[in-house]
Amino acid sequence: MEPHISLHNFSISVKDRREQNKHNSFVLWFTGLSGAGKSTIANALETEMYKRGIHTYCLDGDNVRNGLNKDLTFKPKDRIENIRRVAEITKLLIDSGIVVLATFISPYKSNRDTIKSIVGKDNYVEIYINTSLEECERRDVKGLYKKARKGEITNMTGVTAPFEPPESPNIEINTETETVSESVKRILEYISPKLQTYNNE
Ligand code: ADP
């Protein structure tokens, strides 16, 4: 920390905010290739959580890159900085008492380790949306794969940039065999006990 910065102690803590919300706060970190289904599943999941009165916020790769991180490229160094900033925002949102649904390709294992260490391992749930490159290319939701194959986009994950699959995600979803609603149900079942553990720390 810079020498002239000191942290202020506020009276209301994350514990107070969680108690007021009547649920725990943490991040659901969705990782996977572009077009894998991260945003689709997060969107359907947030809708279900909203219906249940859970306070949520979706942090999306494209949205963040349109604003806060618009100075960053897709080169490895900038990808690392992109994720570091997102992890710091996520940490603040968790401290505010809400459940964050973060949808970022986050291709490097070291990236995801950084996020986990910034937000704290107990606040981090990793969801690997495991869709094959072939299927993502077939969907080509944003037309990016076609452009990458033509050489119009460099550093395209899965084509000209690597994706390191998570070794032990908390939840792994195969969108080629599971429907969106089945995936949402499975994630809800997994997080249900975690949501309840807000007042026994
Ligand atoms: P990402 O956020 O990972 O880049 P998107 O959610 O934007 O991916 O796009 C995924 C695409 O795949 C959407 O067009 C969605 O309708 C489609 N899709 C087909 N089957 C599934 C499934 N079972 N789960 C999630 N998405 C699916």
Side-chain angles (χ1 to χ4, degrees):
M1 207 187 313
E2 292 290 323
H4 303 300
I5 294 179
S6 54
L7 297 176
H8 189 81
N9 279 326
F10 292 97
S11 310
I12 302 298
S13 70
V14 63
K15 192 168 181 292
D16 297 318
R17 290 187 280 266
R18 286 170 174 168
E19 273 185 23
Q20 189 175 54
N21 286 345
K22 300 203 168 14
H23 62 72
N24 199 357
S25 61
F26 48 86
V27 62
L28 298 171
W29 192 275
F30 292 79
T31 175
L33 294 172
S34 175
K38 301 180 296 296
S39 312
T40 303
I41 295 169
N43 181 43
L45 176 63
E46 187 179 35
T47 306
E48 284 307 311
M49 292 172 84
Y50 182 85
K51 283 188 205 157
R52 289 164 169 74
I54 301 162
H55 300 77
T56 56
Y57 192 76
C58 269
L59 264 181
D60 174 79
D62 287 344
N63 294 354
V64 176
R65 277 187 177 275
N66 257 329
L68 179 72
N69 290 355
K70 67 175 159 198
D71 55 324
L72 301 176
T73 71
F74 286 87
K75 288 181 184 150
K77 192 165 158 277
D78 279 359
R79 280 185 187 248
I80 290 166
E81 177 59 11
N82 180 47
I83 293 298
R84 188 196 67 79
R85 290 185 200 171
V86 168
E88 290 291 350
I89 301 169
T90 300
K91 184 181 170 184
L92 295 177
L93 290 172
I94 293 171
D95 196 48
S96 81
I98 66 174
V99 178
V100 183
L101 293 85
T103 53
F104 294 85
I105 299 173
S106 39
Y108 308 123
K109 186 183 175 298
S110 59
N111 262 179
R112 298 186 299 263
D113 288 344
T114 304
I115 300 151
K116 205 182 207 175
S117 72
I118 290 175
V119 304
K121 67 175 173 34
D122 291 342
N123 293 328
Y124 179 84
V125 177
E126 192 168 86
I127 304 177
Y128 176 26
I129 308 297
N130 185 358
T131 306
S132 67
L133 176 64
E134 292 68 32
E135 175 61 13
C136 291
E137 277 207 78
R138 198 189 60 73
R139 292 179 189 165
D140 208 1
V141 193
K142 299 170 197 157
L144 295 177
Y145 288 102
K146 205 177 281 168
K147 285 188 182 162
R149 293 292 178 196
K150 283 200 254 167
E152 291 168 15
I153 298 178
T154 50
N155 295 306
M156 176 75 192
T157 305
V159 181
T160 46
F163 181 83
E164 300 168 2
E167 282 156 13
S168 48
N170 299 95
I171 307 169
E172 181 166 345
I173 284 167
N174 182 332
T175 67
E176 290 160 81
T177 56
E178 249 176 282
T179 65
V180 174
S181 56
E182 283 166 348
S183 306
V184 167
K185 188 164 174 279
R186 208 146 64 78
I187 300 170
L188 280 173
E189 277 166 10
Y190 182 91
I191 63 173
S192 182
K194 194 170 178 68
L195 281 166
Q196 298 311 315
T197 56
Y198 60 93
N199 54 5
N200 56 1
E201 283 165 11

